[in-house]
Amino acid sequence: MTISLEALRRCSIAVDLGAARTRVYLRRTGLIVDEPTVAAVNTHTGGLIAVGALAQRMTGRTPAHIRVVRPVSNGTVVDIEMAQRMLRLLLGNKLRRAWRRRPLVSAAVCVQHDADPLAQRAAMETLTGIGAKRVELVDTLIAAAVGCGLPVEQPEATMIVVCGAATTQVAVLSLGSIVAAERVPVGGETVDHAVIQHLRNEHALMLPSQAVRPLHLIVKDGAGGADGAQAVQSTEVHGRDVATGLARTVRIDVEGVRTAIRTPLTGVLDAIGTVLRRCPPDLVADLADRGIMLAGGSAVLPGFDTMLREATGMPLNIADHPDVCAVEGLGAMLDGKVQPLLLNAMVS
């Protein structure tokens, strides 16, 4: 898809509808919404009970008449009506009233690289259903690269890896466009599932879904460091016994969890190799010095950066705020902070 910076500057709002979190950027204001993409519904009445963080806390803890749903799956809106209802509540009445007073509001939304027409249409209908009269689609890879501060408009190679909840996207950019890109169905949710399966197979323990991310932090903080800090070898986790169904506490090996985390991430290495093979040698030579920029909410997975650095032999940097790079980059384009490199045809 082709991005028109002039069209984006006419947009009032930017939306990043991710599988894990929904973020909304208001022009000349900043980030106004950063909530989990979750909604809790009363199945008897069809009414929304909660959205965002409150709905996420209800996951796995609700009675039969309350259902927790995720309107975005694998980076694509799968339930347009529910996504619209969730956004209306997240945006609030004040912003919606402002939209009614300005009937020609334009909006920009991030979509995955090579998203099919149905996915693009779902994203557009989600925003038009809450009041936007025009919707501009922006590739998540370009938006994230701008948000990371990469010089995407220059004739230099920049490589970015956006690791989200459901997918990881890899791209090399130059002159404001994507030279080569690849998308793999590996993300934070894939890693969570691998950890849950590891504990089930090795310890016959079913771990609550909300306990997986804290375990990531234990693995990451327990790796030890150059300051002489001793690495944590094991930790206790609480869950449910597979056979008896009773609550049980077991002590697990941290290295085993670390291996379970790294295993699905090897698919990202294959994607990086595929992208590099598609690029011209001159651009690949640029990357030897510039390296790879890591962004996305799952960029801070324990050992991910080290694994990529060792496997590729290239420098690797993690964005300052990797989880909001896409929406911040989209907001920078809305605010006119990105100036394209002018390439005018020469007259002979």
Side-chain angles (χ1 to χ4, degrees):
M1 65 194 69
T2 303
I3 299 176
S4 171
L5 290 177
E6 190 62 32
L8 288 177
R9 292 191 186 103
R10 291 195 292 266
C11 294
S12 301
I13 195 168
V15 180
D16 180 14
L17 277 170
R21 300 186 73 87
T22 292
R23 299 179 175 92
V24 180
Y25 184 101
L26 186 62
R27 185 180 181 184
R28 298 192 181 93
T29 301
L31 196 64
I32 60 173
V33 173
D34 187 358
E35 293 282 343
T37 311
V38 187
V41 185
N42 187 324
T43 57
H44 292 168
T45 64
L48 278 183
I49 297 175
V51 296
L54 179 57
Q56 187 177 48
R57 290 199 296 271
M58 296 181 181
T59 303
R61 304 171 183 271
T62 61
H65 70 283
I66 297 178
R67 185 166 58 98
V68 177
V69 297
R70 295 179 178 271
V72 180
S73 177
N74 293 329
T76 302
V77 179
V78 293
D79 190 337
I80 296 175
E81 181 183 357
M82 186 58 64
Q84 291 172 350
R85 296 173 67 186
M86 181 192 68
L87 275 175
R88 288 190 189 102
L89 286 178
L90 292 177
L91 290 174
N93 294 326
K94 182 178 179 181
L95 185 57
R96 290 204 305 273
R97 285 196 298 267
W99 278 28
R100 294 192 190 103
R101 290 194 298 267
R102 297 183 58 191
L104 298 178
V105 170
S106 296
V109 61
C110 292
V111 294
Q112 288 189 340
H113 179 69
D114 285 344
D116 58 70
L118 288 178
Q120 296 182 20
R121 182 170 180 176
M124 295 178 69
E125 289 186 2
T126 299
L127 293 185
T128 54
I130 62 173
K133 301 303 178 183
R134 181 180 175 84
V135 179
E136 301 289 341
L137 301 179
V138 181
D139 197 305
T140 300
L141 289 166
I142 295 179
V146 172
C148 293
L150 296 177
V152 295
E153 73 281 358
Q154 297 298 320
E156 302 172 1
T158 55
M159 189 172 197
I160 186 166
V161 177
V162 181
C163 189
T167 60
T168 295
Q169 304 173 76
V170 183
V172 172
L173 301 94
S174 181
L175 289 173
S177 300
I178 295 175
V179 179
E182 188 74 10
R183 183 176 62 177
V184 291
V186 176
E189 294 176 353
T190 311
V191 172
D192 291 348
H193 181 70
V195 173
I196 292 174
Q197 285 297 114
H198 168 75
L199 294 180
R200 184 185 180 96
N201 297 335
E202 297 295 327
H203 302 280
L205 188 74
M206 293 186 66
L207 191 67
S209 58
Q210 297 184 6
V212 179
R213 289 305 169 95
L215 187 58
H216 289 181
L217 296 177
I218 294 175
V219 173
K220 185 176 182 179
D221 295 340
D227 57 356
Q230 186 176 2
V232 177
Q233 301 296 328
S234 62
T235 185
E236 287 187 349
V237 296
H238 310 283
R240 189 181 73 184
D241 189 275
V242 173
T244 65
L246 300 177
R248 186 160 66 95
T249 300
V250 298
R251 179 164 289 275
I252 63 172
D253 179 30
V254 171
E255 186 58 35
V257 177
R258 188 176 292 115
T259 302
I261 291 174
R262 290 181 179 178
T263 300
L265 295 178
T266 55
V268 180
L269 294 176
D270 296 335
I272 292 176
T274 300
V275 170
L276 291 176
R277 285 191 293 270
R278 293 178 185 171
C279 290
D282 290 343
L283 292 182
V284 177
D286 290 345
L287 296 175
D289 296 327
R290 188 180 299 276
I292 303 171
M293 178 64 73
L294 196 58
S298 300
V300 293
L301 286 170
F304 189 27
D305 55 338
T306 303
M307 183 184 71
L308 293 182
R309 191 179 293 110
E310 293 176 351
T312 62
M314 294 190 296
L316 188 138
N317 301 298
I318 300 178
D320 293 337
H321 304 285
D323 51 340
V324 296
C325 282
V327 72
E328 290 287 353
L330 201 51
M333 289 187 273
L334 262 63
D335 291 337
K337 297 179 181 179
V338 180
Q339 299 297 328
L341 183 66
L342 297 178
L343 298 175
N344 297 323
M346 299 182 68
V347 179
S348 57

